[in-house]
Amino acid sequence: MWHHQTNAYALPESDVPVWGLYVAALNAFPVSVKTLTNCSVMILAQLVCQRIQDGRFLRDAYHYQELGMTATWGWISAFLFHFYSLWFSKLDWMHHGNVIFEIPLDHLIWRVPIVFAFVIWTRWHHGLLLRTSAQEAWRDCGHRLAMRSIASIQIKSLKTWPAIQVVMYMFVPVALRALYHSIAVFWWSVFLAMATRVRSEDWRLSAHTMAEPCGRSESRGGGQMKWWQSQHG
């Protein structure tokens, strides 16, 4: 894994402290450096997301399980993205180096499938059979309004990632695209965590508003409010 790897997209050497060491390591061991970097970024993203959603991180065994799952996915996705980015840069006969063609093609070939694969991965990691995970993920595609459904995430992805990818394909060298992608995924994960928390808080506020004017009556929201109280103690 740590042997010297041929790198046709090596970056020029840099004298900038720390960054120069990173560039030298990236040139010598591109796959290893990219996977390690993405693992580290994904672990940090998971900790931040736990803090946003639950008020603290590593609170219980479930949080540690999520951290391990995220770190493993960080390695897998970075490994795949390394080879994908090299392969995609050679598809000149399809996109002609034009960002107008690169963005939709990239979104279709990489972004849509990787979101689907991540959802399958998380469900498999939580105990479902791989086939069952894939079947449930496919059925989940139609639940557009569910906060964490594939459809909801894909819609947010379509609204957000094209702008991120424009910058990548116009200004970021091939060798640094994995690093850029890792940083973008970090902020994307934080955005999803904040969006999920906001929608959850809006739902709780809506349930409270429905219950309060009618004295928590069963006929006009009281039942819903009592259910929410039973779930949240």
Side-chain angles (χ1 to χ4, degrees), residues 35-167:
T35 52
L36 181 59
T37 300
N38 199 49
C39 273
S40 303
V41 172
M42 292 295 285
I43 289 173
L44 179 60
Q46 176 62 218
L47 294 174
V48 172
C49 291
Q50 289 181 12
R51 181 67 177 83
I52 291 172
Q53 293 183 319
D54 300 324
R56 56 184 297 186
F57 52 83
L58 301 181
R59 183 176 59 185
D60 50 33
Y62 176 78
H63 280 172
Y64 282 96
Q65 181 186 18
E66 291 290 291
L67 193 66
M69 178 197 71
T70 302
T72 307
W73 177 256
W75 190 96
I76 294 172
S77 59
F79 182 83
L80 294 175
F81 187 78
H82 167 77
F83 292 101
Y84 166 77
S85 60
L86 298 180
W87 172 75
F88 189 83
S89 64
K90 298 177 181 178
L91 295 182
D92 290 334
W93 60 276
M94 293 186 69
H95 52 65
H96 305 288
N98 190 324
V99 70
I100 296 178
F101 300 112
E102 286 177 325
I103 299 308
L105 188 63
D106 172 80
H107 200 87
L108 181 64
I109 297 176
W110 173 260
R111 185 62 44 197
V112 172
I114 204 67
V115 169
F116 193 78
F118 176 69
V119 173
I120 294 175
W121 165 260
T122 56
R123 294 180 179 182
W124 174 78
H125 194 272
H126 289 143
L128 292 179
L129 295 174
L130 188 61
R131 180 179 179 181
T132 305
S133 300
Q135 290 173 341
E136 288 197 0
W138 180 256
R139 288 196 297 268
D140 193 37
C141 290
H143 300 163
R144 184 175 64 85
L145 298 180
M147 286 185 290
R148 300 182 185 181
S149 70
I150 291 181
S152 177
I153 296 174
Q154 293 284 16
I155 291 173
K156 291 184 179 71
S157 176
L158 185 59
K159 294 177 179 178
T160 307
W161 275 98
I164 297 173
Q165 300 299 76
V166 165
V167 175

